[in-house]
Amino acid sequence: MLQGKWITLGVSGGIAAYKAADLASKLTAQGAAVHVILTAAAARFVGPVTFAGVTGHFVHQDMFANSPDCAIPHIDLASRADLLVIAPATANVLAKLAAGLADDLLSATALAATCPVLVCPAMNAAMYQHPAVQKNLQVLESYGYHILEPASGRMACGTVGKGRLPETSVILEKIYQLLTPQGNLSGLKVLVTAGGTREPIDPVRYISNRSSGKMGYALARAAAQRGARVTLVTTPTALEPPPGVEVVRVETAQQMLEAVMAVYDRVEVVIKAAAVADYRPARMAEQKIKKSDAMLVLELVKNPDILGQLGQHKRPGVTLVGFAAETADLLQNAADKLRRKNLDLIVANDVTVPGAGFGSDTNVVKLLYADGSVKDVPRLDKLELAHLIWDEVLRLRGK
Ligand code: PMT
């Protein structure tokens, strides 16, 4: 995600400084070159060795110290950065940035920065609510800084309120948004479905499949990162929904059909990554079915074909993308679904291939287009594949 990006990470002196080490580590793991500036107060909470260890880079603390990778630290750390992140940003640092002070390496670097600046305030709830802090945040916003609101909850000082540094995953999401060059889905209204439907047999049992929801959530996440307005219709999964996405929770194919139809009129792109049960039990037993010596026969009836119905009522300007999960004759079966469901694109995965399909973090697919062309996509992380699919959607829409 962040290959080739230079992120200057300013860490100031609050207890949440320890969380900045996790952030630095995760940014580094995703390919970013993370150059840390520790304020004097931050270094009292977490030492430079920790940050050097997780980033593999020299940690900057002093405006005038010799640095192995920066001739003039406050200028290089600003001008070479794709993004300056200040996490945690204490009340003191916010005040300095708002006033334009440059009396230490972090504040001087912030003044010299022309890249986007992300500020993540974290402090005691009463301090955060103080009018001086709120005013400083408004001033920073007026400078074009991006402010990530603190989270609410219990703080190290024992009080409960707003002021916690958000979870690393939330900060990372904001960083992706700021660094993803393609804000090119901006304003596009899209619908994504995810997960496997559950078709009830009785109050405690259901028929389902192996879908984890990862592929659909990755598509929703990638679209939101690129500025789309995303509705995610999802069956129960263990996954955290991506921030900024409208989530509609369903269980059965019938509920998914209703949820999809409720928004279909106002979206421009539909991607159906969900694994929808083709059949459901004809009746749901009202009570838990008891074990007996007799054979149990379940009568199944056909579920509606949701994507098929969207294809039948396709409006001009709408792009329809389906998935095909196959165990044999991948291209033939997928091409058949593409035609029958009137799709623009179908993403075909042979779910018997290692690293493809259900549950894995990666997928291996072929893209089949309405004009008959086919593209092979090697194994990719599902989020990377999701971005590639959105690139293809844009191309099909002539963008
Ligand atoms: O969720 P993960 O663990 O990440 O796994 C990802 C995945 C394997 C579920 C995903 O990559 C995938 O292949 N999703 C589609 C699975 C599927 O149901 O394929 P299908 O060939 O049965 O259906 C074809 C298309 O029609 C799909 O877009 C499906 O959403 C849609 N469909 C199917 C049946 C039905 N009754 N209504 C539908 O809308």
Side-chain angles (χ1 to χ4, degrees):
M1 284 291 292
L2 301 174
Q3 207 63 45
K5 300 291 181 195
W6 173 306
I7 296 178
T8 298
L9 173 62
V11 182
S12 60
I15 183 65
Y18 81 91
K19 294 185 183 171
D22 182 43
L23 177 63
S25 164
K26 298 224 160 80
L27 290 169
T28 306
Q30 297 196 24
V34 181
H35 296 264
V36 174
I37 302 174
L38 277 188
T39 65
R44 299 180 71 158
F45 288 94
V46 189
V49 176
T50 301
F51 287 99
V54 295
T55 63
H57 289 288
F58 177 79
V59 173
H60 302 265
Q61 293 176 268
D62 181 348
M63 189 121 85
F64 303 102
N66 280 336
S67 138
D69 45 15
C70 297
I72 310 174
H74 70 289
I75 300 299
D76 286 5
L77 288 165
S79 64
R80 292 164 75 179
D82 295 291
L83 180 69
L84 169 61
V85 181
I86 305 178
T90 58
N92 184 50
V93 161
L94 297 180
K96 283 187 179 200
L97 298 183
L101 292 180
D103 64 347
D104 67 2
L105 183 57
L106 178 56
S107 53
T109 303
L111 268 192
T114 53
C115 62
V117 179
L118 174 63
V119 177
C120 307
M123 66 201 72
N124 162 274
M127 290 171 77
Y128 181 69
Q129 294 306 339
H130 193 286
V133 170
Q134 291 301 314
K135 191 165 152 242
N136 287 335
L137 286 169
Q138 281 170 17
V139 171
L140 295 183
E141 253 171 350
S142 74
Y143 296 161
Y145 287 12
H146 302 269
I147 312 290
L148 187 63
E149 281 208 359
S152 296
R154 188 187 166 281
M155 278 176 281
C157 56
T159 55
V160 175
K162 190 169 178 180
R164 287 167 58 87
L165 187 69
E167 293 304 319
T168 303
S169 59
V170 176
I171 303 175
L172 282 172
E173 205 64 49
K174 189 71 197 172
I175 291 173
Y176 298 149
Q177 268 177 27
L178 293 172
L179 282 179
T180 311
Q182 326 93 317
N184 52 8
L185 297 179
S186 182
L188 192 73
K189 296 183 218 81
V190 309
L191 166 64
V192 176
T193 68
T197 61
R198 294 178 172 184
E199 311 297 334
I201 298 169
D202 67 15
V204 299
R205 304 180 179 96
Y206 55 80
I207 298 174
S208 192
N209 57 66
R210 296 178 187 277
S211 172
S212 62
K214 287 181 183 173
M215 191 66 244
Y217 276 56
L219 284 156
R221 184 178 299 276
Q225 284 171 1
R226 292 163 72 161
R229 289 162 61 186
V230 185
T231 304
L232 172 65
V233 175
T234 175
T235 63
T237 73
L239 305 172
E240 195 61 38
V245 163
E246 184 195 355
V247 179
V248 182
R249 296 182 191 279
V250 298
E251 291 211 4
T252 64
Q254 186 59 40
Q255 290 167 358
M256 183 172 280
L257 172 70
E258 286 158 23
V260 164
M261 287 307 178
V263 295
Y264 185 44
D265 280 350
R266 43 186 170 88
V267 297
E268 296 151 283
V269 180
V270 180
I271 304 191
K272 283 218 77 250
V276 183
D278 288 320
Y279 294 90
R280 67 177 183 278
R283 284 164 298 280
M284 174 184 155
E286 275 179 26
Q287 304 298 332
K288 182 179 169 189
I289 298 172
K290 292 291 169 199
K291 192 163 52 182
S292 77
D293 290 337
M295 198 167 75
L296 177 66
V297 178
L298 276 180
E299 194 187 343
L300 301 178
V301 293
K302 236 177 150 183
N303 263 333
D305 183 337
I306 305 170
L307 194 51
Q309 292 196 20
L310 300 185
Q312 267 175 22
H313 301 107
K314 192 165 168 191
R315 303 188 316 277
V318 168
T319 308
L320 281 187
V321 180
F323 271 71
E326 305 295 341
T327 55
D329 302 324
L330 181 67
L331 285 177
Q332 195 185 318
N333 288 330
D336 183 47
K337 286 176 186 172
L338 175 86
R339 249 189 330 273
R340 263 193 296 120
K341 301 186 191 222
N342 192 19
L343 307 179
D344 299 284
L345 166 64
I346 194 156
V347 183
N349 36 201
D350 178 343
V351 294
T352 65
V353 169
F358 297 111
S360 59
D361 291 330
T362 57
N363 208 349
V364 186
V365 304
K366 292 184 193 302
L367 304 178
L368 285 75
Y369 299 82
D371 67 3
S373 57
V374 179
K375 271 187 200 166
D376 269 335
V377 183
R379 180 178 312 162
L380 285 181
D381 178 87
K382 281 183 176 164
L383 188 59
E384 285 177 86
L385 173 61
H387 276 292
L388 189 145
I389 292 169
W390 285 115
D391 288 342
E392 291 303 299
V393 167
L394 279 178
R395 194 176 62 75
L396 289 171
R397 295 177 64 79
K399 298 284 157 58

